[in-house]
Amino acid sequence: MRGPDHGEVPALPASADPEAADAVFRAGPPPGEWEFAQTPEKEEAAGLLRRLADDGLEAVLADSESAMIQDAWGLAAHWGESPPEDPGDHLVHWLFGELLDTVRAEVTGAPGGALRLAYGAGLPLELAGDGACLVLGGPERTGVIEIDDGY
């Protein structure tokens, strides 16, 4: 799968070995301006993509969703508007969920399909203007979601 300025992403090996797939993925060009953390010590460095385990991906997505809700409530208060009655009833959270579901389906070949690999930088999303990147790897395709959270 190609994206703007992302080049061709290598196909992952058919084996279920996540370490082999990770090595192939890291050997290819990094997505856009983002770089992979090359050592465990660099995993927490700002702006570097780190590998997310299945539960790690779900955790950062849940934390990011919470941050989007809090940000929407804060912006509503700032502009003197009433916050939404339902915390999840605002456009940003809904659009992010739809985008993620769409990219995941394209990458895995089926709605709700299993990902081979996931990497993240700037996650959980804190909406602090630093941006974020989520890379989802499927059996033959890779999806890159870049988030510019600057106001």
Side-chain angles (χ1 to χ4, degrees):
M1 180 179 212
R2 288 179 185 242
D5 301 321
H6 298 296
E8 190 68 34
V9 178
L12 298 178
S15 74
D17 178 18
E19 299 305 320
D22 179 60
V24 168
F25 198 84
R26 288 174 183 264
E33 301 295 318
W34 301 91
E35 296 291 332
F36 290 105
Q38 297 298 329
T39 62
E41 298 81 38
K42 301 277 186 184
E43 288 284 313
E44 298 304 317
L48 293 178
L49 289 165
R50 72 187 196 293
R51 189 166 150 204
L52 303 171
D54 290 338
D55 57 343
L57 173 62
E58 298 308 320
V60 297
L61 293 176
D63 290 347
S64 296
E65 178 181 324
S66 178
M68 283 184 260
I69 291 169
Q70 293 302 317
D71 191 57
W73 281 35
L75 286 173
H78 176 74
W79 294 106
E81 300 172 4
S82 299
E85 289 180 29
D86 176 4
D89 188 25
H90 63 280
L91 190 59
V92 173
H93 159 70
W94 182 80
L95 286 174
F96 182 72
E98 289 291 313
L99 174 64
L100 186 60
D101 289 346
T102 300
V103 172
R104 185 178 204 144
E106 287 292 320
V107 165
T108 62
L115 294 166
R116 296 286 306 278
L117 295 171
Y119 299 86
L123 296 169
L125 188 60
E126 296 178 358
L127 302 169
D130 298 326
C133 182
L134 182 61
V135 180
L136 305 176
E140 296 179 15
R141 303 179 97 185
T142 300
V144 178
I145 300 173
E146 292 188 79
I147 301 166
D148 179 357
D149 62 347
Y151 289 93

